[in-house]
Amino acid sequence: MFSTASLPTTRSARSTSRRHREACTLLAALAGATTGLRLGVLFTSNRFRLPALLAKIATTVDIVSEGRLNFGIGAGSRSSVPIARRKYEAHG
């Protein structure tokens, strides 16, 4: 499981936290280890990282991968959704 959020979102991910990896860091590693693979996550929520930092991360991965990054960004879930509320509270 790869996630752009720092908290696991599913019961199986919480019970196997060793498998939970931060997506942007993993994409950078994959960029250096591959040459023909398109890289990306389904979407990245802009609620968990400062926009300038997220832009810098995406730019760095895109440069390291020589333009192979597929970058999708979204607002994330509503704070009324229990899992989202837990994440928002954890992030302040």
Side-chain angles (χ1 to χ4, degrees):
M1 172 181 230
F2 311 125
S3 174
T4 58
S6 61
L7 297 174
T9 57
T10 64
R11 180 173 289 136
S12 63
R14 286 190 298 270
S15 65
T16 57
S17 61
R18 292 178 305 201
R19 294 184 198 160
H20 186 78
R21 302 291 182 249
E22 197 281 322
C24 296
T25 305
L26 183 60
L27 289 176
L30 288 172
T34 63
T35 57
L37 192 66
R38 296 290 305 172
L39 304 168
V41 294
L42 184 59
F43 76 94
T44 300
S45 175
N46 64 355
R47 293 185 183 204
F48 301 115
R49 291 202 168 113
L50 295 173
L53 176 61
L54 186 56
K56 190 173 238 180
I57 290 168
T59 301
T60 300
V61 172
D62 195 51
I63 290 168
V64 170
S65 70
E66 298 178 340
R68 294 180 288 135
L69 177 66
N70 290 334
F71 186 73
I73 189 166
S77 185
R78 298 178 315 276
S79 60
S80 60
V81 175
I83 291 173
R85 185 178 325 112
R86 192 177 111 231
K87 286 182 182 181
Y88 297 150
E89 289 170 357
H91 287 280

